[in-house]
């Protein structure tokens, strides 16, 4: 859905409707302090809570974060366990607080490889989210890879429509992000300049913003700076300026 309508913020200036973030730098943040990597992820999870609330209060509709990729299983058992533990805790909290906070949580990715406990919690948050139409939506990508998402979508289409040729619209409807507008702005923290298999289909016309700030240090001010930069961009979606 390139070109999804943008909102106007309090100052009447265009606000991205959907921001997506590659939350990078947790490990380096911890290392600089002589702490284990999992300490960086724990602070990173707090940063996510703060930034989600801020984006909601600014009036955005969607925030999508890359929490655990299909490649992150290569990390040590201890680190994988720590990240899964943080996600499980967040899911538990969401079951308790989603309705009060008016935040719809959606998990994107291949959930089949996740623990039964996490899958059970996702079923619960999905059921609660269904009761919160129109609320700010936080999408957490978990066991997510852009290429994996595309392969799963194509296989799903082929199974549901044998012999039919796929179209862009049908493809979008089979992705984990079905029904969610494409991200207007993708932010990557931690000083690397790559997409790392994040939202490969959906990022076709997203504006990209890179910052050296490590994710645990990322603040509301950093969102303001990214949005200010976004406002300076000229989005043409392949067309020419009117
Ligand atoms: C990238 O930094 C970060 C991750 C792979 C994990 C991100 C997970 C969280 C922030 C916790 C998720 C919890 C919730 C509630 C969303 P890195 O470890 O690759 O950092 P480095 O590049 O400095 O090593």
């Amino acid at each position: 859905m390139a070109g999804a309508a943008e909102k106007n913020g309090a100052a009447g200036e265009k606000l991205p409707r959907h921001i997506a973030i590659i939350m990078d730098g947790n490990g380096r943040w911890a290392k600089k302090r002589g702490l284990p990597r999992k300490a960086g992820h724990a602070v990173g999870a707090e940063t996510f809570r703060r930034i989600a609330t801020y984006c909601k209060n600014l009036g955005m509709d969607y925030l999508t974060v890359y929490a655990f990729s299909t490649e992150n299983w290569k990390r040590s058992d201890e680190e994988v366990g720590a990240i899964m533990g943080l996600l499980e805790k967040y899911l538990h909290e969401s079951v308790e607080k989603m309705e009060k906070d008016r935040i719809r949580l959606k998990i994107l990715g291949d959930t089949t490889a996740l623990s039964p406990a996490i899958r059970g919690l996702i079923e619960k948050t999905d059921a609660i989210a269904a009761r919160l139409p129109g609320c700010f939506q936080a999408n957490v990508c978990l066991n997510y890879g852009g290429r994996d998402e595309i392969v799963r979508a194509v296989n799903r289409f082929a199974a549901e429509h044998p012999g039919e040729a796929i179209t862009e619209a049908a493809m979008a409807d089979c992705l984990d992000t079905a029904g969610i507008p494409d991200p207007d702005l993708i932010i990557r923290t931690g000083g690397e300049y790559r997409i790392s298999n994040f939202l490969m289909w959906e990022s076709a016309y997203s504006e990209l913003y890179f910052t050296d700030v490590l994710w645990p240090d990322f603040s509301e001010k950093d969102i303001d700076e990214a949005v200010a930069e976004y406002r300076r961009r000229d989005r043409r979606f392949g067309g020419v300026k009117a």
Side-chain angles (χ1 to χ4, degrees), residues 95-114:
V95 169
E96 298 300 317
K97 290 178 27 195
M98 263 166 85
E99 270 170 300
K100 182 176 142 286
D101 290 350
R102 314 296 293 165
I103 294 183
R104 282 164 65 94
L105 172 67
K106 172 125 181 87
I107 301 295
L108 308 181
D110 179 2
T111 55
T112 58
L114 302 173

Side-chain angles (χ1 to χ4, degrees), residues 23-28 37 41 44-45 48 67 72 75 87 90:
M23 310 181 287
D24 197 11
N26 294 346
R28 278 164 285 160
R37 294 178 60 83
H41 297 313
F48 163 70
N72 285 152
R75 298 187 177 207
L87 288 159
Y90 184 70

Side-chain angles (χ1 to χ4, degrees), residues 128-230:
I128 301 169
R131 301 201 291 270
L132 297 170
C135 287
F136 172 80
Q137 182 165 322
N139 302 310
V140 174
C141 296
L142 181 48
N143 192 29
Y144 174 87
R147 290 181 175 182
D148 179 68
E149 181 193 28
I150 290 169
V151 169
R152 284 186 289 107
V154 169
N155 285 334
R156 186 173 147 198
F157 180 83
E160 288 173 6
H161 307 272
E164 272 182 49
I166 196 162
T167 61
E168 287 195 18
M171 178 76 188
D173 281 346
C174 289
L175 292 168
D176 298 342
T177 52
I180 301 170
D182 289 341
D184 300 298
L185 173 66
I186 297 182
I187 298 172
R188 181 173 188 145
T189 64
E192 310 278 7
Y193 302 96
R194 54 178 172 263
I195 287 295
S196 298
N197 205 12
F198 186 46
L199 302 177
M200 299 299 291
W201 176 275
E202 299 84 344
S203 62
Y205 283 100
S206 303
E207 295 298 324
L208 306 180
Y209 180 85
F210 299 97
T211 169
D212 289 340
V213 175
L214 302 176
W215 176 250
D217 290 329
F218 194 80
S219 68
E220 290 82 344
K221 178 178 83 46
D222 295 306
I223 287 285
D224 290 346
E225 284 175 15
V227 169
E229 168 62 26
Y230 171 81

Side-chain angles (χ1 to χ4, degrees), residues 36-140:
R37 294 178 60 83
K38 62 183 180 187
H41 297 313
V43 178
E46 292 305 322
T47 304
F48 163 70
R49 286 182 180 83
R50 234 181 339 96
I51 294 301
T53 303
Y54 189 61
C55 288
K56 172 180 178 257
N57 291 343
L58 281 180
M60 283 170 210
D61 291 334
Y62 299 91
L63 170 71
T64 301
V65 294
Y66 205 6
F68 192 87
S69 76
T70 44
E71 289 73 37
N72 285 152
W73 296 105
K74 294 177 198 156
R75 298 187 177 207
S76 72
D77 288 352
E78 189 194 359
E79 184 170 350
V80 169
I83 297 173
M84 290 298 163
L86 290 165
L87 288 159
E88 194 171 328
K89 181 167 172 253
Y90 184 70
L91 282 158
H92 268 296
E93 275 171 30
S94 297
V95 169
E96 298 300 317
K97 290 178 27 195
M98 263 166 85
E99 270 170 300
K100 182 176 142 286
D101 290 350
R102 314 296 293 165
I103 294 183
R104 282 164 65 94
L105 172 67
K106 172 125 181 87
I107 301 295
L108 308 181
D110 179 2
T111 55
T112 58
L114 302 173
S115 72
I118 290 185
R119 293 211 315 266
L121 286 163
I122 293 172
E123 269 179 36
K124 285 188 185 167
T125 53
D126 281 349
I128 301 169
R131 301 201 291 270
L132 297 170
C135 287
F136 172 80
Q137 182 165 322
N139 302 310
V140 174

